[in-house]
């Protein structure tokens, strides 16, 4: 008769035992921290520089037009978050994460070389999709 199995000996789908804790998963935790630093840095940099680009490079005068990139990001991320639940019923979580990461790849390049404000807004739609799926 089996009495008690410690949490660190749990298995997932018949695979190797799942090891819980930061010490056992320090590589995954370090990767998570690095990814969050880069994502946070991109979002922070974007929030400070894009309004300046809108007003100085594209000569936008309306605050609503300047901050339309934030609105596009927020609305897209909200709807993608809603859709992500339904997507997990049809796809594996890893597939959704990979799709989200791929959608985020062109964002810094579009922001750096966008010839029009509409492309900046489109890049933020991609960023909203990226954040909603990941």
């Amino acid at each position: 008769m089996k009495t008690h199995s410690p949490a660190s000996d749990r298995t997932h789908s018949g695979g190797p035992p799942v090891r819980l804790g930061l010490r056992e998963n320090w590589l995954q935790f370090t990767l998570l921290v690095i990814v969050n630093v880069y994502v946070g840095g991109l979002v922070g940099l974007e929030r400070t520089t894009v309004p300046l680009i809108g007003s100085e490079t594209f000569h936008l005068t309306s605050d609503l037009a300047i901050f339309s990139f934030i609105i596009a990001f927020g609305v897209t991320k909200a709807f993608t978050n809603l859709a992500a639940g339904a997507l997990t019923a049809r796809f594996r979580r890893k597939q959704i994460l990979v799709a989200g990461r791929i959608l985020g790849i062109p964002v810094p390049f579009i922001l750096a070389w966008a010839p029009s404000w509409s492309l900046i807004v489109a890049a933020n739609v991609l960023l909203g999709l990226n954040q909603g799926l990941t």
Side-chain angles (χ1 to χ4, degrees):
M1 175 165 96
K2 190 171 184 177
T3 56
H4 178 66
S5 174
S8 61
D9 291 339
R10 284 189 253 176
T11 59
H12 180 67
S13 301
V18 174
R19 309 254 341 209
L20 302 177
L22 286 177
R23 184 173 295 129
E24 291 81 5
N25 296 292
W26 70 271
L27 283 173
Q28 292 89 345
F29 181 76
T30 303
L31 178 62
L32 179 66
V33 168
I34 291 169
V35 167
N36 280 311
V37 165
Y38 281 115
V39 169
L42 174 66
V43 171
L45 180 67
E46 183 188 37
R47 298 301 182 256
T48 57
T49 58
V50 172
L52 293 172
I53 293 169
S55 62
E56 294 181 14
T57 302
F58 297 112
H59 308 293
L60 300 174
T61 55
S62 165
D63 285 342
L64 181 62
I66 290 173
F67 291 103
S68 60
F69 75 98
I70 293 176
I71 296 166
F73 168 81
V75 169
T76 303
K77 183 176 179 188
F79 283 114
T80 306
N81 283 338
L82 285 172
L87 289 172
T88 57
R90 298 184 65 202
F91 301 100
R92 292 189 323 255
R93 183 70 183 135
K94 183 176 180 179
Q95 291 173 309
I96 296 170
L97 286 170
V98 169
R101 295 285 183 217
I102 289 171
L103 287 170
I105 291 171
V107 170
F109 303 105
I110 294 171
L111 292 175
W113 293 296
S116 70
W117 185 251
S118 60
L119 275 176
I120 300 251
V121 173
N124 279 275
V125 168
L126 286 177
L127 189 60
L129 289 168
N130 165 269
Q131 292 292 297
L133 293 175
T134 58

